[in-house]
Amino acid sequence: MIRYLTAGESHGPALTVIIEGVPAGLSLDRSFIEAELLHRKKGYGRGGRQQIETDEIEILSGVRFGQTLGSPISILLRNKDHEKWHGIMASEGEAPDDLEPVTIPRPGHADFAGLVKYERDDIRDILERSSARETAMRVVAGAIAKAFLLECGIEVASYVSRIGSAICEETSEDVKHIKALTASSDCRTLSPTANANMKKEIDAAMQRKVSLGGIFTVVANGLPIGLGSHVHWDRKLDAKLAAAVMSIQAIKGVEFGLGFEAASRSGEKAHDPFILDHDEISRPSNYAGGLEGGMTNGMPLVLRAAMKPIPTMQHRLPSIDLATLTPADSHFERADSCAVPAASVVAESVVAIELANAILEKFGGDSIDEVTSRLPLS
Ligand code: EPS
């Protein structure tokens, strides 16, 4: 099974990840991982930080001559912006005399609860780690999971379905189609009209100095039937996928297939009939989003998630200066106006990790050949 740990502060020297449990013999090169990082870095509505960072990685262990060894893979990504944060983010010595602690929490952020929980005086001790910069390393881990899944005939993609009130009416359950359309869309959506509307919405939000959330859809194709299990709560694949996506910064909800809409339909309009098509079992619809009883059912996986607007905004919200206990406007520092396109890439990554684990759980193997030889023939 693949386990991974990320470490690093947003403006610290570097981010790191250790990924353990990747089978040996998987072809892996830096450019494949960096291409995934580039998808996360892009997206209309990102702030100035993305122009600073190059998101180039160093593979420190677990890979030799472009192949995984089965040993832990460790990867380093240096924060270019750290050069300007040396003093403020130093791991040794005393705090500089002119250090201004952040003491006004942003409503909607980890600032307040984190400060109280960890008994800190400077909100920076919390915000540096709660920052979505950390998701770069999930994309690194996810890229390795994607490389593994490709060997198993499984592909994952995502698209943005909504930003603020701008909606993409088109939907797709076809990874190749999604990849082709999102490649030319700076909002990572499926139609030029939706892309233009989303950009307009983001421009208007920037003018108002506010942030925007949205909804994205993650799709996976090629999944064998029976990943996950109905027999116990902690083996249900939908629960694992939902937890993985819910753990991404600012995600507030996850649904599969019809999701919340199923609650308002009567049963005959909410489930996917079985039919025979040339003697093959077939499903004319995919309301379940590819999962029944916590198991893959042979249909495409369709997961949607809702992201709240980022709490860091030039439009400051009422807050309290915790140093003086006086009312104050919430803290602002440079931020993205909308990070929904980036979050969709992060979600693809964490979904890929869960799917890779579901494959390893069911078919197992220490080398890539061992795993793939155990997969059902398609
Ligand atoms: C973030 C604030 C911004 C974002 C950052 C997440 O960073 P900064 O404060 O340096 O401008 O750009 O996201 C990234 C750096 C990234 O790579 O995704 C936050 O507060 O969560």
Side-chain angles (χ1 to χ4, degrees), residues 11 40 46 49-50 81 131-133 333-336:
H11 303 98
R40 191 199 73 99
R46 292 285 252 162
R49 177 79 184 271
Q50 301 311 314
D81 206 24
S131 160
R133 177 81 186 135
E333 53 183 59
R334 181 187 57 189
D336 304 320

Side-chain angles (χ1 to χ4, degrees), residues 35-46 50 55 182-188 338-343 345:
E36 292 293 315
L37 281 167
L38 190 61
H39 288 310
R40 191 199 73 99
K41 198 160 113 69
K42 290 194 300 195
Y44 202 73
R46 292 285 252 162
Q50 301 311 314
D55 286 358
T182 53
S184 57
S185 161
D186 41 14
C187 292
R188 303 195 76 254
C338 176
V340 180
V345 178

Side-chain angles (χ1 to χ4, degrees), residues 212-254:
L212 280 182
I215 295 175
F216 56 79
T217 305
V218 180
V219 172
N221 291 165
L223 296 166
I225 296 174
L227 299 181
S229 177
H230 66 289
V231 301
H232 200 250
W233 66 268
D234 57 359
R235 294 182 58 191
K236 290 181 186 243
L237 186 59
D238 43 7
K240 292 181 186 186
L241 290 165
V245 175
M246 279 300 292
S247 77
I248 300 168
Q249 290 80 338
I251 300 303
K252 301 310 287 180
V254 177

